[in-house]
Amino acid sequence: MSVYIGNLSHEIEDEDIRQVFLMYGSVKRILVSTKQKSGEKRGFAIVQMDKDSDEVAAINGLQGTEWMGYSLKVNRAKTVVDAA
């Protein structure tokens, strides 16, 4: 299971996301979605954590939280993050 985090500021960096998710457990991987041609951030990311229970805690703890002026949308990701 991975966590989808949407409605992110386009100024967000991987390390910003990592710091927030570390409050809920160990983070394996973060994928901030970007536009292929321009590299511009698309406003969402996928976060994979070590334990499913950590991911559930992050979803419950962050859903609807305001961060950098945006109300977060956080739920289970439909996309699987491959271990590349």
Side-chain angles (χ1 to χ4, degrees):
M1 180 176 96
S2 295
V3 177
Y4 166 88
I5 180 168
N7 204 31
L8 291 172
S9 165
H10 291 274
E11 304 299 317
I12 201 79
E13 297 294 336
D14 289 17
E15 190 57 31
D16 299 326
I17 296 170
R18 182 176 309 283
Q19 291 305 313
V20 170
F21 273 79
L22 282 174
M23 295 187 308
Y24 300 96
S26 182
V27 176
K28 279 187 178 179
R29 188 162 185 222
I30 297 169
L31 176 62
V32 176
S33 182
T34 57
K35 293 181 182 177
Q36 192 170 14
K37 288 185 179 181
S38 67
E40 180 183 352
K41 295 177 181 126
R42 296 175 59 199
F44 72 92
I46 305 295
V47 179
Q48 187 177 29
M49 299 181 78
D50 279 336
K51 298 178 189 172
D52 285 351
S53 59
D54 294 343
E55 292 175 344
V56 170
I59 291 168
N60 292 334
L62 294 172
Q63 178 60 33
T65 300
E66 188 170 317
W67 189 26
M68 297 177 81
Y70 294 83
S71 180
L72 299 180
K73 296 178 182 178
V74 185
N75 50 47
R76 285 190 169 175
K78 294 178 183 172
T79 302
V80 176
V81 178
D82 295 326

